[in-house]
Amino acid sequence: MPALRALGHLIRVRAGLEVMVMIGADSHKQTHTVIALDEVGRRLGAKTVRANDDRHLALVEWAAQFSDVNEGYLRFALEDCRHLTRRLESDLLTAGHRVVRVLTRLMAGSRQASRELGKSDPIDAEAVALAAVRHPNLPIAELDGPSRGVKLLSDHRRDLVVQRAKIAVQVRWHLHELDSDLQIPNRGLRRLRLVRGLRAELDRFDGVVARLARGLLERCAELTGQINGLGKALRGLVRTLAPSLLEVPDAVCWPLR
């Protein structure tokens, strides 16, 4: 049967028809399951490998059987969940393969149209491949560059800002319980000078509430130092990669200014 399929591909290639093999992957922490489909959605092969660099190489070698008869039109399609697919994507790109990213919402219809019932790794891998066949303008993956560093720093900074905002709410309630005249201006806990002043005010109080408030203020000051340091690092990267962004008068760019 594989020999007949290969012969069919050769006939169509020699006839000048564009032939495509799409290999969809269902990725997990420990394994990747892939399904190869032709341009009309017929299964050509399947494979499951461990999620490590050596087995990624084995997957590349396995996929070579399709590029031999279909050179230039082999694609890998990965669900766009890069916390699971980043290493596989990088290894495939390094090996010279073309990789497209499939949004999860595009897989719903493909999964419903599957010939098999239920949910399994092969069914999900086939759904990824079918979605990629049906949507030719999907984002094309590229090897990570300096821009990924900007995103990682920005995301981490945003997480720290969220933590500080939660702490600010707790501090406000503790201060209100201790002394309702201890008011914090809006976004005031961003200012280290104000935080130091509040900690000095708390020296007047004893008990659990005061102790908790002092600890939260210390954590707030620590977070502010980290946030400011990340902002400085971001400005340095953006100044090198896209200096015009530093001039954009938009709230989205406020960490960079």
Side-chain angles (χ1 to χ4, degrees):
M1 193 67 171
L4 290 176
R5 286 173 178 163
L7 179 60
H9 281 302
L10 283 172
I11 291 172
R12 280 176 287 179
V13 169
R14 290 173 180 174
L17 299 175
E18 179 176 305
V19 181
M20 177 179 65
V21 171
M22 185 68 71
I23 300 178
D26 181 51
S27 295
H28 299 277
K29 288 183 178 179
Q30 301 299 325
T31 62
H32 302 291
T33 295
V34 299
I35 296 288
L37 304 180
D38 67 11
E39 71 280 0
V40 294
R42 291 174 296 200
R43 283 195 186 188
L44 304 176
K47 189 175 183 65
T48 297
V49 299
R50 298 283 295 174
N52 59 51
D53 293 339
D54 288 341
R55 302 316 298 165
H56 293 170
L57 177 59
L59 181 58
V60 169
E61 293 171 347
W62 173 82
Q65 65 181 299
F66 305 113
S67 61
D68 286 345
V69 297
N70 193 34
E71 186 173 0
Y73 297 106
L74 175 65
R75 302 285 188 275
F76 277 86
L78 308 182
E79 186 177 358
D80 196 0
C81 48
R82 272 166 267 180
H83 57 292
L84 292 174
T85 61
R86 187 175 300 282
R87 285 180 62 189
L88 175 60
E89 180 179 284
S90 177
D91 287 343
L92 292 174
L93 290 171
T94 301
H97 284 292
R98 299 183 184 183
V99 180
V100 296
R101 293 170 177 162
V102 179
L103 297 176
T104 302
R105 62 180 174 80
L106 297 179
M107 295 166 52
S110 299
R111 190 179 285 115
Q112 291 171 0
S114 173
R115 293 182 296 270
E116 300 179 30
L117 297 177
K119 187 179 188 302
S120 69
D121 294 350
I123 290 175
D124 288 345
E126 183 174 5
V128 173
L130 284 172
V133 170
R134 294 169 179 173
H135 299 84
N137 296 318
L138 292 171
I140 298 173
E142 296 179 352
L143 287 170
D144 289 328
S147 60
R148 188 184 176 221
V150 172
K151 185 178 187 307
L152 289 173
L153 289 176
S154 180
D155 288 348
H156 184 51
R157 185 184 184 280
R158 187 180 300 110
D159 290 340
L160 297 184
V161 170
V162 170
Q163 291 181 40
R164 185 176 61 183
K166 291 180 179 178
I167 288 174
V169 173
Q170 294 174 286
V171 169
R172 289 178 189 276
W173 282 113
H174 288 328
L175 293 181
H176 181 76
E177 181 176 344
L178 293 169
D179 183 349
S180 59
D181 290 332
L182 287 175
Q183 300 291 326
I184 303 176
N186 188 34
R187 300 181 178 179
L189 292 184
R190 295 180 178 185
R191 303 199 296 271
L192 292 175
R193 182 176 179 180
L194 187 142
V195 172
R196 287 193 294 268
L198 288 173
R199 289 168 65 181
E201 289 284 348
L202 288 174
D203 290 340
R204 300 187 286 116
F205 303 95
D206 295 318
V208 174
V209 175
R211 185 167 72 249
L212 291 174
R214 279 192 288 270
L216 289 171
L217 285 172
E218 290 175 4
R219 176 59 178 153
C220 187
E222 178 185 344
L223 286 171
T224 296
Q226 294 176 13
I227 290 167
N228 292 344
L230 288 168
K232 182 178 180 180
L234 275 168
R235 285 191 295 274
L237 284 173
V238 173
R239 188 173 290 111
T240 300
L241 298 173
S244 60
L245 285 179
L246 298 174
E247 307 301 325
V248 177
D250 192 292
V252 173
C253 298
W254 72 264
L256 307 179
R257 298 200 297 270

